[in-house]
Amino acid sequence: MARLKKAEKIFIVRSLAQFMPISDVVRDIKEKFNVDVSPQQVEYYDPTKAASADLAQEFIDLFNEARKEYIEQPLHNIEGANDIVQLKILSDLLVSKKGNVVMAIKLIDQMQKIVKGHYEKKIEITGKDGGPLQTTTIQATQEQVNEAVRKAQEEY
């Protein structure tokens, strides 16, 4: 088991607070700090796990604060939530998947949906002055219903 410095411990705690999988934290610690840690060692720094029963209060507080910040951050701070970033990623994928016609068509379709605002259109149906829709129940014969349907189809 590797002996971790405080900076490495803080990195682990903050990563776990941001819902990063343990395997990704293990990989990132190796890449950023050149330290080999086991998944069990990383799990120790997650106060939501039983393995962290004797974790220092300092790290528990850091975890809770980091998780709160992460959850409350504005949506525009998340890279993938930005249309330009999404289009750039899709564009890069399109270039790499040019030989795969089916995948290219799907990527182009996805890009068009983003560009045309397909995901932003919201329709809200309300009654008069924003109130609830009014419903009326009437008694009608089958003949009257058929006539109303016929008229509606002609108008459409």
Side-chain angles (χ1 to χ4, degrees):
M1 182 156 46
R3 182 152 170 85
L4 299 174
K5 298 176 185 162
K6 186 163 185 172
E8 296 159 349
K9 293 175 184 178
I10 289 172
F11 177 83
I12 291 171
V13 170
R14 292 190 66 81
S15 298
L16 293 170
Q18 296 176 359
F19 302 99
M20 185 182 283
I22 291 174
S23 58
D24 291 352
V25 177
V26 169
R27 185 194 66 235
D28 284 357
I29 282 287
K30 176 66 176 165
E31 289 175 6
K32 291 183 170 97
F33 297 98
N34 199 25
V35 175
D36 288 316
V37 293
S38 68
Q40 294 79 11
Q41 190 174 5
V42 170
E43 185 178 36
Y44 171 77
Y45 291 95
D46 186 346
T48 65
K49 307 284 185 189
S52 67
D54 59 343
L55 182 63
Q57 188 63 42
E58 169 190 12
F59 294 117
I60 294 171
D61 293 342
L62 175 64
F63 179 92
N64 292 330
E65 180 184 323
R67 176 146 300 173
K68 182 180 178 197
E69 287 174 11
Y70 182 75
I71 290 172
E72 292 177 351
Q73 72 178 320
L75 190 58
H76 66 267
N77 284 354
I78 300 171
E79 275 188 21
N82 185 311
D83 287 350
I84 298 299
V85 174
Q86 290 175 9
L87 288 169
K88 176 68 177 138
I89 292 168
L90 290 170
S91 177
D92 292 345
L93 284 171
L94 181 62
V95 169
S96 68
K97 301 289 184 189
K98 264 191 175 167
N100 184 340
V101 176
V102 174
M103 182 60 75
I105 290 170
K106 287 181 181 179
L107 290 169
I108 291 169
D109 182 51
Q110 183 68 29
M111 293 170 79
Q112 286 297 312
K113 287 178 180 177
I114 292 169
V115 169
K116 292 180 179 177
H118 177 76
Y119 299 109
E120 296 175 8
K121 294 180 182 169
K122 294 181 182 176
I123 298 173
E124 185 174 324
I125 301 173
T126 61
K128 184 177 180 185
D129 298 324
L133 291 174
Q134 299 296 318
T135 57
T136 307
T137 305
I138 59 168
Q139 294 292 329
T141 65
Q142 188 61 43
E143 246 177 55
Q144 291 170 324
V145 171
N146 292 342
E147 180 63 24
V149 169
R150 187 186 58 74
K151 283 183 181 178
Q153 287 174 339
E154 287 175 0
E155 290 177 11
Y156 183 68

